[in-house]
C-alpha cells in the first residue's frame, strides 16, 4: 500500500496561494466589484422610526445605501431547517427582531469608504423591552412536534411514568449549558453579481452550494422548485437550474454547521441587483456573532430510576432550549439518548423558549454535544449515589441490541473500547475517592464517558472524465471545509480508476457540477465516495464495450495501473491511452 499523501491543498494553504471567499477580487460577471459594509441594530425589539442616510450617500466613493425602504422584495425561502432565512428575511420591513440585525448596507468603490460611510448613518428607534434572558422560571415554552432535521420531538418506550414511581432507587438532576458560538478562522464572506440575462452568480464559503443556491433562487423568484427537500431526496437539480443561478464555494476556512443558509450572500446579491455591479461583503469578526448561527443554551432535567445494583429501569430527559423568534431550527437534544443504554422505560422531550436573539442553528454534533454531557454526567452521579464504579454501571446497562427497535447492531465494539480505555489509563488501580489522589499540590482525577453519533449518508452524484493521456477529472459540487475530504475523495477515485493519485483531479464547490448534498454529519466521504465508485463502475463498463468484449461480462474486468485488465486472464489488458485514442 502506498504511503498516505500529504493533504492536496496543504501547499497552497501554507504558501498563501489558497483562495477563500474574502480573497476573491473579481466575479465572472464583468465589472470591478464594489464593497459593502453593514449597519446593524443596537436594539432587539421594536421598530426603526427613522434612518438618516444623507451623509452616508454623499460620502466619498459611495454608490448606494440599501435599507428596508429600497431593498429588493424577497419571496419566502424553503430549504433546510436551520438558520433564519426560512423565517426571517433581511431588510423587508422596519421591525426589529434582535440586536445586530442588518438595517442598512452601504456600497462603495472601496471597503474603507463603505465602512466609513456606514458610521455616518443615524438610526432612530421606537424601542420595546426585549426578552433576552434565558430565565427558566418565567419564559413561556413551546412544545414542537419535530426537532433537528425532522426527528420526532418526543421519543418514548415502555411506561416511563409508572416505572419512575415504582423504581427502587431514583435520582433527579438538572444540567445547564451556555450558548456556544461558531468562530471559524474564516468569517462569512460573499461576492455576488448579476448578468444581463438575470442570472445570479455568487462566490461564498459554504457547506452546501446547492442549498444556498436554491435559497437565493427562491428569494429572488428565479423559477426554481419551492420543494427543496424533494431535490435533496432525488440528489439532482432541475434540468435548467444552471441557467438561473450559479453558486461557487472555494476553500472554506472552517464550518461546523455555521456556513450555510446565511444572510450575507443574500445581502450581497440584493445590493448587487440594485448597484448593477458585482458586490463583495465580508463580515467582521464581531459581526459573526450576530450574523452567523450559534448553539442556544439548554436546561436539561434528567431522572434516572432503577435497582440498587445500578441497573436502570427508567430514564427521562426533558430539554428546554434557547431559541429565537427568527429561528426554524430546534436543537435535537434527545436524538441519541434512546440508543445509549438498555433501559426498558424511557422518554425524551423538547421545549423551546423564543427570545429576541439571532437564530440558533446547527453547530458541531447538534443535540448530541449538550445531551451527552448531561446524560453521562447523570450516569456518573447515579454511580456515586449507589457507591458503584462508573464503568461497571455502564457495563451493566450495555445495550446488546438497539434499544428502541430491538434490531441487532451492524457492529458494536463498545465493551472492547471500555476495556482498552480502562487498561490504558490504569482505571482499576485508581483510588475512586473524591480528592483522594494527588501529585504534589495537584489533585488528580480520572473520568470516563460514552459517546454516540449517528451515521448519515445523503444523496450525491459524481461525473468522471477520463482522458487519453491517462488523467481523470472527478466532478461534484462537494466542499472542502478543511477536514481533508478532497484528499480522501481523490484517493478513493484513484483506487476505483486504477490510476496514481497525481493523475486524478477533483473539482468541487460549484453548482455547475453534479449535485452533492451538504457537508455535515461526517457524511461526505461516505456519500460522495459511493457516488464516485458508482461512476467508476459505469466508466469501466463503457471501456469494456470499447474493447469489443461482451458487455455483460464487465464484472470480469478491473481498472488497474492505467489499464483495463481481465480478471480471468491477467495477460489480457488494454492500456487506457491507446484505447481512448482509438475511440
Amino acid at each position: 500500500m502506498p504511503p498516505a499523501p500529504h493533504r492536496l491543498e496543504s501547499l497552497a494553504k501554507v504558501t498563501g496561494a489558497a483562495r477563500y471567499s474574502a480573497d476573491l477580487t473579481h466575479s465572472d460577471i464583468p465589472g470591478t466589484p464594489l464593497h459593502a459594509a453593514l449597519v446593524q441594530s443596537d436594539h432587539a425589539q421594536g421598530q426603526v422610526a427613522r434612518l438618516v442616510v444623507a451623509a452616508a450617500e454623499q460620502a466619498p466613493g459611495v454608490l448606494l445605501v440599501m435599507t428596508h425602504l429600497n431593498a429588493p422584495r424577497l419571496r419566502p425561502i424553503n430549504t433546510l431547517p436551520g438558520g433564519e432565512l426560512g423565517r426571517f428575511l433581511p431588510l423587508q420591513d422596519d421591525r426589529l427582531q434582535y440586536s445586530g440585525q442588518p438595517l442598512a448596507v452601504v456600497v462603495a468603490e472601496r471597503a474603507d469608504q463603505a465602512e466609513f460611510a456606514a458610521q455616518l448613518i443615524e438610526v432612530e428607534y421606537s424601542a420595546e423591552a426585549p426578552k433576552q434572558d434565558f430565565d427558566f422560571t418565567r419564559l413561556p415554552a413551546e412544545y414542537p412536534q419535530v426537532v433537528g432535521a425532522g426527528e420526532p420531538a418526543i421519543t418514548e418506550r415502555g411506561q416511563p411514568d409508572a416505572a419512575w414511581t415504582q423504581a427502587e432507587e431514583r435520582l433527579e438532576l438538572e444540567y445547564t449549558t451556555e450558548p456556544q458560538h461558531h468562530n471559524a478562522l474564516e468569517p462569512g464572506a460573499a461576492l455576488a453579481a448579476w448578468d444581463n440575462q438575470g442570472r445570479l452568480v455568487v462566490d461564498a464559503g459554504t457547506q452546501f452550494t446547492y442549498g444556498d443556491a436554491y435559497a437565493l433562487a427562491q428569494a429572488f423568484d428565479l423559477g426554481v422548485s419551492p420543494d427543496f427537500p424533494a431535490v435533496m431526496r432525488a440528489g439532482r437539480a432541475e434540468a435548467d437550474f444552471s441557467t438561473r443561478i450559479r453558486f461557487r464555494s472555494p476553500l472554506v476556512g472552517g464550518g461546523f454547521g455555521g456556513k450555510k443558509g446565511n444572510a450575507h450572500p443574500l445581502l450581497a446579491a440584493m445590493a448587487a441587483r440594485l448597484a448593477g455591479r458585482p458586490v463583495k461583503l465580508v463580515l467582521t469578526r464581531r459581526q459573526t456573532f450576530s450574523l452567523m448561527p450559534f448553539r442556544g443554551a439548554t436546561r436539561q432535567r434528567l431522572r434516572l430510576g432503577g435497582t440498587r445494583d445500578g441497573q436502570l429501569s427508567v430514564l427521562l430527559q426533558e430539554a428546554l432550549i434557547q431559541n429565537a423568534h427568527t429561528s426554524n431550527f430546534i436543537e435535537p437534544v434527545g436524538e441519541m439518548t434512546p440508543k445509549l443504554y438498555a433501559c426498558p422505560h424511557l422518554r425524551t422531550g423538547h421545549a423551546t423558549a423564543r427570545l429576541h436573539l439571532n437564530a440558533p442553528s446547527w453547530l458541531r454534533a447538534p443535540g448530541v454535544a449538550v445531551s451527552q454531557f448531561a446524560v453521562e454526567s447523570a450516569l456518573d452521579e447515579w454511580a456515586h449515589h449507589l457507591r458503584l464504579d462508573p464503568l461497571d454501571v455502564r457495563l451493566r446497562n450495555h445495550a446488546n441490541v438497539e434499544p428502541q427497535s430491538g434490531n441487532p447492531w451492524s457492529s458494536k465494539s463498545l465493551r472492547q473500547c471500555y476495556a482498552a480505555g480502562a487498561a490504558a489509563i490504569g482505571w482499576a488501580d485508581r483510588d475512586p475517592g473524591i480528592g483522594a489522589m494527588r501529585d504534589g499540590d495537584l489533585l488528580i482525577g480520572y473520568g470516563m464517558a460514552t459517546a454516540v453519533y449517528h451515521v448519515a449518508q445523503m444523496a450525491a452524484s459524481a461525473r468522471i472524465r477520463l482522458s487519453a493521456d491517462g488523467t481523470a477529472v472527478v466532478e461534484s459540487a462537494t466542499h472542502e471545509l478543511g477536514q481533508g475530504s478532497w484528499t480522501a475523495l481523490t484517493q478513493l477515485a484513484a483506487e476505483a480508476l486504477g490510476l496514481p493519485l497525481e493523475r486524478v483531479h477533483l473539482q468541487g464547490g460549484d453548482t455547475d457540477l453534479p449535485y452533492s448534498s451538504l457537508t455535515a454529519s461526517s457524511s461526505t466521504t461516505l456519500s460522495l465516495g459511493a457516488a464516485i465508485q458508482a461512476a467508476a463502475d459505469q466508466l469501466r463498463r463503457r471501456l469494456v464495450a470499447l474493447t469489443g468484449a461482451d458487455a455483460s461480462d464487465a464484472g470480469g474486468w478491473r481498472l488497474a495501473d492505467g489499464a483495463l485488465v481481465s480478471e480471468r486472464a491477467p495477460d489480457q489488458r488494454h492500456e487506457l491511452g491507446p484505447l481512448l485514442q482509438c475511440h
Side-chain angles (χ1 to χ4, degrees):
M1 179 179 292
H6 296 293
R7 289 273 293 273
L8 297 181
E9 80 281 11
S10 60
L11 181 62
K13 287 181 174 179
V14 299
T15 59
R19 287 293 173 261
Y20 296 83
S21 303
D23 298 321
L24 300 177
T25 58
H26 67 279
S27 171
D28 283 354
I29 309 301
T32 302
L34 302 168
H35 295 266
L38 299 180
V39 177
Q40 296 174 276
S41 169
D42 55 12
H43 286 69
Q45 179 65 355
Q47 289 178 284
V48 175
R50 194 162 73 103
L51 282 163
V52 183
V53 301
E57 291 176 328
Q58 296 166 16
V62 172
L63 282 77
L64 168 71
V65 176
M66 182 174 69
T67 72
H68 68 277
L69 298 173
N70 62 342
R73 298 300 95 183
L74 304 175
R75 305 281 294 176
I77 289 176
N78 175 33
T79 56
L80 280 177
E84 63 186 31
L85 297 185
R87 193 176 176 113
F88 170 69
L89 294 169
L91 301 184
Q92 298 301 287
D93 56 41
D94 60 359
R95 289 294 306 173
L96 300 177
Q97 301 291 342
Y98 59 87
S99 181
Q101 173 183 327
L103 298 183
V105 180
V106 179
V107 179
E109 294 286 354
R110 300 198 315 259
D112 62 323
Q113 293 172 332
E115 292 165 4
F116 173 76
Q119 299 176 43
L120 302 179
I121 293 178
E122 299 177 15
V123 186
E124 296 178 6
Y125 298 94
S126 174
E128 301 171 10
K131 292 181 180 179
Q132 292 179 304
D133 295 328
F134 193 33
D135 186 333
F136 305 121
T137 62
R138 294 187 296 166
L139 291 171
E142 298 179 10
Y143 296 90
Q145 297 297 310
V146 295
V147 296
E151 296 83 12
I154 298 175
T155 300
E156 187 168 337
R157 63 174 179 254
Q159 297 178 310
D161 292 320
W164 170 251
T165 61
Q166 297 167 12
E168 185 178 38
E169 291 287 339
R170 293 185 293 181
L171 190 62
E172 185 169 348
L173 304 156
E174 186 173 287
Y175 299 93
T176 61
T177 60
E178 295 302 310
Q180 300 170 10
H181 282 264
H182 290 281
N183 254 303
L185 189 62
E186 176 200 17
L191 175 61
W194 297 81
D195 68 16
N196 293 332
Q197 286 73 46
R199 184 186 189 221
L200 174 61
V201 177
V202 178
D203 295 276
T206 182
Q207 296 175 235
F208 198 7
T209 52
Y210 271 88
D212 280 356
Y214 265 85
L216 294 180
Q218 290 171 358
F220 290 107
D221 198 18
L222 300 184
V224 300
S225 169
D227 187 10
F228 185 69
V231 175
M232 289 188 67
R233 290 191 296 272
R236 60 180 180 272
E238 298 151 272
D240 58 347
F241 172 77
S242 63
T243 66
R244 303 158 182 166
I245 185 170
R246 185 181 189 185
F247 201 111
R248 296 178 297 194
S249 179
L251 293 173
V252 181
F256 297 116
K259 285 184 180 167
K260 57 184 186 300
N262 303 127
H264 59 272
L266 178 58
L267 289 166
M270 293 165 69
R273 171 169 272 191
L274 288 186
R277 279 173 58 183
V279 170
K280 181 178 179 179
L281 171 60
V282 181
L283 301 184
T284 67
R285 177 62 59 192
R286 181 175 182 177
Q287 288 169 343
T288 64
F289 283 89
S290 54
L291 292 175
M292 305 289 278
F294 70 103
R295 195 196 316 273
T298 70
R299 183 197 72 182
Q300 298 176 60
R301 180 190 181 205
L302 271 292
R303 288 181 286 168
L304 282 66
T307 59
R308 292 191 176 94
D309 65 359
Q311 190 70 48
L312 289 172
S313 61
V314 58
L315 191 159
L316 299 106
Q317 181 183 24
E318 303 165 60
L320 177 64
I321 302 156
Q322 182 188 51
N323 213 318
H325 294 279
T326 58
S327 176
N328 64 356
F329 172 81
I330 300 168
E331 188 90 9
V333 173
E335 181 182 10
M336 291 291 111
T337 304
K339 304 180 183 301
L340 276 167
Y341 298 109
C343 179
H345 306 281
L346 175 142
R347 183 170 62 240
T348 66
H350 300 74
T352 66
R354 295 194 182 274
L355 305 177
H356 296 115
L357 303 169
N358 59 304
S361 186
W362 307 95
L363 195 153
R364 186 66 170 169
V368 179
V370 291
S371 178
Q372 290 295 103
F373 155 72
V375 173
E376 291 302 297
S377 297
L379 259 289
D380 281 350
E381 296 206 46
W382 175 249
H384 179 72
H385 171 71
L386 299 173
R387 299 184 179 182
L388 298 172
D389 181 271
L391 176 55
D392 189 41
V393 164
R394 288 168 173 84
L395 287 168
R396 293 183 189 190
N397 291 283
H398 180 269
N400 296 320
V401 297
E402 201 280 308
Q404 195 66 18
S405 65
N407 293 330
W409 303 107
S410 58
S411 64
K412 187 176 184 180
S413 303
L414 186 56
R415 287 185 182 275
Q416 297 91 316
C417 181
Y418 284 149
I425 67 173
W427 180 265
D429 299 327
R430 82 197 194 288
D431 185 334
I434 296 176
M437 294 190 297
R438 289 180 174 271
D439 182 0
D441 293 334
L442 300 177
L443 288 170
I444 304 299
Y446 277 45
M448 59 86 56
T450 306
V452 61
Y453 198 65
H454 64 266
V455 173
Q457 186 171 15
M458 305 180 193
S461 53
R463 179 168 58 227
I464 299 176
R465 301 183 187 274
L466 187 62
S467 301
D469 64 0
T471 61
V473 175
V474 181
E475 299 175 328
S476 180
T478 190
H479 324 85
E480 176 57 69
L481 273 68
Q483 80 279 40
S485 63
W486 282 9
T487 302
L489 292 167
T490 304
Q491 287 178 277
L492 291 174
E495 181 179 342
L497 295 170
L499 292 173
L501 187 69
E502 62 270 15
R503 289 183 170 269
V504 179
H505 177 62
L506 179 69
Q507 293 184 349
D510 190 337
T511 55
D512 274 5
L513 301 177
Y515 177 91
S516 182
S517 196
L518 70 160
T519 296
S521 297
S522 302
S523 66
T524 298
T525 304
L526 172 63
S527 303
L528 188 52
I532 290 172
Q533 183 64 59
D537 289 342
Q538 289 185 26
L539 178 61
R540 176 176 48 82
R541 288 193 290 271
R542 292 185 65 179
L543 291 170
V544 170
L546 292 179
T547 68
D550 184 0
S552 64
D553 189 36
W557 296 79
R558 61 187 172 88
L559 291 165
D561 301 323
L564 185 66
V565 182
S566 172
E567 295 277 19
R568 297 180 180 85
D571 58 325
Q572 294 185 28
R573 56 183 289 129
H574 299 270
E575 298 296 330
L576 295 182
L579 181 61
L580 291 171
Q581 286 174 345
C582 292
H583 296 83

